[in-house]
Structure formats: structure tokens, C-alpha cells
Amino acid sequence: MRSLLTVLVPLLAAPLPAAAAQGSFVNWESPHVHPLDVTPDGRRILAVNTADARLEVFRAGRTPRRLVSIPVGLDPVSVRARDDGEAWVVNHVSDSVSVVDLGTGAVRATLRTDDEPCDVVFAGSPERAFVSCSQANTLLVFDPADLDAAPVRIPVLGEDPRALAVSPDGQEVYLAVFESGNGSTILGGGLVLPALYPPNVVNHPAGPHGGVNPPPNGPNDAFVPALNPQNPPPLRVGLIVKKDAGGAWRDDTGADWSDLVTGPQAALSGRVQGWDLPDRDLAIVRADTLAVTYARRLMNACMALAVNPASGHVTVVGTDGTNEVRYEPVLRGRFLRVLAAFVDPVAASTAGTPGVVDLNPHLDYVHPGVPQFRRDLSLGDPRAIVWNSAGDRAWVAGMGSNNLVQLDASGARVGPPRTIEVGEGPTGLALDEGRGLLYVLNKFEASVSVVDLAAGRQ
């Protein structure tokens, strides 16, 4: 497919035959993680063609030219150039990694992995390959010099680890946990049969609202919006509470449920005293010892990450849901935030607090709707980030908004332009600093955009 507004490089090698194009089908594709890369010499662009199970190789430049299309495993979602002549492609459905010889245009080895691998990077001395496996919650370590050797398996204490990055000195690997959570949990309150689990603690008079269910969501035990007195009695419900910076479990009114979640009365909610819900967002792995530490309290969906080469700090982009806030009229248009977290790996290992910025600072989250010109400035569903070599400019791709935004070293959005429009569903970024270009893989229209950074446009 082609956008009428842009000139793009298509990924598909040839048009479908007429008979195949007439059929209707549902095409389920795995989520991209790092679908685009450039070889170290800057000569070739590598792009995964997820729907066609191929690695597409282009000559780099302002008008990329297809060089070869290489069959790999099912649903490739990431590609990394190990050097100018070799690329590793991660196949999400095949549970494998294809080691591709770019000189011959063929797969020279296939490595079996744990369930649903997502990304690969190279780090350490001697160099090793690190592969994240999202459904197994593991990080596999392969020896590129001995591909027949079994990988070392590192458990990841988080749900759905995906995107990877490496420190500037190559001695640390960073792993973003996609479904890391945001320190929230649900309390039972809507179950009918007493024998079911969890217990109906929201109804208990020991709670901060005295057992009123549904619990009020406004000040002075009021409901916002107010209840209609002509309505029938409302159904009883469960309640989401969230741990604040001080460790207290609170609902959206600020009422403290800690005694019933982790304190002396935790049994009333089906928990034990001292219960907790770790919020591990970023795993920090030493490439030599394979020791793992975690950075916490970034966001609840960590989608992509990159390392600032100047500071060595890790930038994680994703979203954070305000799932503790109740009632549709209150939530309308304001149910999540698009964030970037800036993590100092040294401080994170000693429980340092990361800096988190909102990537849509033009939104005040007070009004449920905004004028179209403000909406057009927004970044939605961030799926890729890349830094320049100076560490003073980063680009983030919004898969849901079909655009890019530019950040300075602090995470503030800069321009002009305030956004760069690209193709549909951008999920991958690869920087070609020598030519002043940024390549963008657009998942939904199977294309690669070329952005002129000096002009700030595609």
C-alpha cells in the first residue's frame, strides 16, 4: 500500500497475484520491537517484513534501492546488524533467531529460543548475543563463536520482557519489561458467593469508606458525577488501589487501604501481612557476570528504549494507565499518559528515582476534548526511539499517531517542526547521521520512510 501524501519505499517484493488479492482474510501480525537497522558501514538498511517472513535489504540513501529479500522464520519482529556482513533476525512465532549472511543473502544458522522471542543485542567481551523471550520471561545468552552451544538462561522477574539496548561501553544490557504494571491491584467487592475468591473486602466496615459499595469517588464521600436518585440500587463492585510514592495503597479519592492490603488486616483482602506488588520496569544486566538489577516506577507498558551515548542514561518510552480512576464520564479522553523515563543505571541499582516526563505536554488532562490543532501535536502509542551521537536530540515514533517527535537531552519536545508526519504505523527507527537521514519503518502500510533531518520532513 502507498500513502497518497508521501513517497515511500515498499517492503513487498512484488504485487500479489490477482487471485490471491481478491480473497478476504484476517492477518494477525506480531508486534514489532526493533524492526529496522542500518549496517555499521552505513551502506545497507535492514527491515523485517513480518507478513511475508522475510528480511528486506536496501541500499541506504535518500532513495533506497532494494538489494535482496531473504526468507527467515515466521513473524520476524526485530533485526540487528552484528557487523557489516551479518544480521540476526528474531522470529516471534517460529521461536527462533535467523543468523543471516548479508554477503550471500541467505540464512547460515537458525537458533532455537524460548517462547516468543522479541529482540537481540550484542554485548560483553568476548561478545555474546542476548535474546529476550517475552512469554517465557527469560533472557537467553548465546555465544556467536559457538552457535551449537546451549544458551545461558537468565530469569526475568517481570511479565513480557521485550526491547533491548546496550550501554555505550558494551558492558551492560538493558531490557524493558513490556507489561511491567504500575503498582496497582484490585480488591474484591462484587462477588455474590462468599466462597469465591478474592474476599469482598470493599464491603467490609474496616475499609476507609465504611463498607459503602460502590465506594464514593469524590470528596466528602460524594459521587462524581452525582447518583441519579431514580436509579435502582447499584451493583457492588471491586476497587482498584494504587501504591503511592510513600508505599501506601490508595484509591482515587486518596483513601488509604494499606491495612487491608499489606498491613495487619491483609487477610480480609485474601493477602498476607507484608504482601507487595513489585513494579520492575527495566532490567539492568551485567554482560560479564549476568547479574541483574531493576529500575522501578517508570510506567506500566514499557514499549521501547535507547541509550543516550553522551550521558549513558537509558530512555524508556511507553504509556502509563490511570486505571485507578473510576467512572466513564470522569475518564473520557484521559485514561493514559504517554511518557519517557530517563534512568541513570548506576542510581537505579541503588534505588535512585528516575525522571519521568510527559511526551504530550500540550495536553492539560483537565478537559476531555481538545481542538484539532492540539490533537495533531500528540504522540500516540510510542514504539521506537533513537538518539544521535551527541546525545542532544532523540526521535520517538508514534505508531498510533503516524508521526515522529523530537526531544532534547532532558526529554522536552523541540522543533520546528513540532511533529514529523510519516507513514501509517511507524514502529522502527534507524539513524543515518552521515547523510542526515532517519529511516522509519511503517508497519501498517509495509513501507520505509526517509526523513530529511535538516528539513524536518519526510
Side-chain angles (χ1 to χ4, degrees):
M1 293 179 286
R2 274 181 192 265
S3 167
L4 296 178
L5 303 178
T6 57
V7 177
L8 304 169
V9 181
L11 289 184
L12 296 177
L16 287 172
Q22 292 172 359
S24 176
F25 70 100
V26 176
N27 185 28
W28 170 263
E29 290 186 13
S30 300
H32 284 170
V33 179
H34 190 272
L36 195 67
D37 206 6
V38 175
T39 54
D41 61 8
R43 296 175 59 189
R44 285 178 280 201
I45 305 168
L46 312 176
V48 300
N49 186 341
T50 304
D52 208 26
R54 292 174 179 270
L55 174 66
E56 309 290 351
V57 183
F58 299 92
R59 183 188 63 189
R62 299 182 68 87
T63 55
R65 179 173 63 85
R66 182 189 308 279
L67 298 175
V68 65
S69 181
I70 305 169
V72 289
L74 294 180
D75 276 25
V77 296
S78 290
V79 58
R80 303 273 184 173
R82 183 175 171 226
D83 53 37
D84 294 333
E86 182 176 285
W88 289 40
V89 180
V90 179
N91 308 305
H92 195 63
V93 171
S94 291
D95 293 343
S96 66
V97 174
S98 300
V99 181
V100 178
D101 185 324
L102 297 175
T104 63
V107 174
R108 73 174 184 87
T110 300
L111 309 178
R112 303 306 304 176
T113 70
D114 291 344
D115 195 19
E116 295 193 2
C118 281
D119 202 2
V120 59
V121 293
F122 307 97
S125 180
E127 183 182 77
R128 291 186 282 184
F130 294 76
V131 178
S132 59
C133 297
S134 60
Q135 292 307 295
N137 297 332
T138 56
L139 182 65
L140 304 185
V141 186
F142 291 91
D143 182 358
D146 184 4
L147 297 180
D148 293 328
V152 176
R153 183 171 285 100
I154 304 172
V156 178
L157 302 180
E159 182 64 31
D160 205 350
R162 293 189 187 180
L164 292 164
V166 178
S167 63
D169 64 5
Q171 298 307 304
E172 285 188 332
V173 173
Y174 307 118
L175 171 57
V177 179
F178 182 73
E179 298 177 358
S180 62
N182 62 352
S184 62
T185 188
I186 190 165
L187 304 178
L191 298 176
V192 176
L193 298 176
L196 294 180
Y197 187 89
N200 285 327
V201 68
V202 177
N203 313 335
H204 201 283
H209 299 295
V212 174
N213 193 344
N217 69 326
N220 303 315
D221 288 335
F223 286 87
V224 179
L227 298 180
N228 185 339
Q230 297 182 0
N231 285 343
L235 298 174
R236 292 184 170 187
V237 297
L239 179 67
I240 293 177
V241 293
K242 187 172 182 177
K243 187 166 65 173
D244 66 14
W249 293 91
R250 301 183 185 275
D251 62 26
D252 56 352
T253 71
D256 191 347
W257 291 81
S258 298
D259 278 357
L260 291 83
V261 176
T262 189
Q265 302 185 83
L268 294 176
S269 68
R271 295 167 172 82
V272 297
Q273 188 170 349
W275 181 91
D276 198 7
L277 185 64
D279 181 15
R280 303 183 182 100
D281 298 294
L282 178 70
I284 302 167
V285 184
R286 287 293 308 175
D288 50 1
T289 65
L290 305 183
V292 185
T293 56
Y294 294 90
R296 295 169 168 82
R297 303 192 68 83
L298 307 183
M299 60 198 71
N300 76 279
C302 302
M303 296 176 175
L305 76 167
V307 178
N308 185 319
S311 67
H313 292 183
V314 185
T315 308
V316 182
V317 295
T319 60
D320 193 56
T322 54
N323 55 318
E324 77 280 8
V325 179
R326 290 171 281 161
Y327 302 122
E328 189 276 336
V330 179
L331 287 171
R332 187 171 57 190
R334 297 170 294 219
F335 54 89
L336 61 77
R337 306 289 185 267
V338 178
L339 304 178
F342 294 80
V343 181
D344 180 348
V346 176
S349 300
T350 57
T353 302
V356 179
V357 300
D358 193 320
L359 291 181
N360 289 318
H362 56 285
L363 301 178
D364 59 16
Y365 304 109
V366 174
H367 303 94
V370 296
Q372 187 64 47
F373 77 92
R374 285 192 177 276
R375 184 175 302 182
D376 291 342
L377 297 176
S378 297
L379 181 80
D381 203 354
R383 292 289 170 151
I385 177 173
V386 63
W387 283 98
N388 67 0
S389 59
D392 59 5
R393 184 64 56 92
W395 293 265
V396 182
M399 184 177 73
S401 50
N402 300 336
N403 61 8
L404 313 178
V405 299
Q406 304 170 86
L407 310 179
D408 65 15
S410 70
R413 283 177 55 167
V414 294
R418 300 189 68 178
T419 63
I420 301 173
E421 301 303 311
V422 290
E424 297 177 10
T427 55
L429 297 174
L431 184 60
D432 186 346
E433 271 191 289
R435 298 182 178 91
L437 302 176
L438 180 65
Y439 307 115
V440 185
L441 189 144
N442 306 300
K443 185 176 194 289
F444 299 151
E445 58 182 40
S447 65
V448 174
S449 298
V450 181
V451 174
D452 184 322
L453 295 177
R457 62 182 176 82
Q458 181 178 244

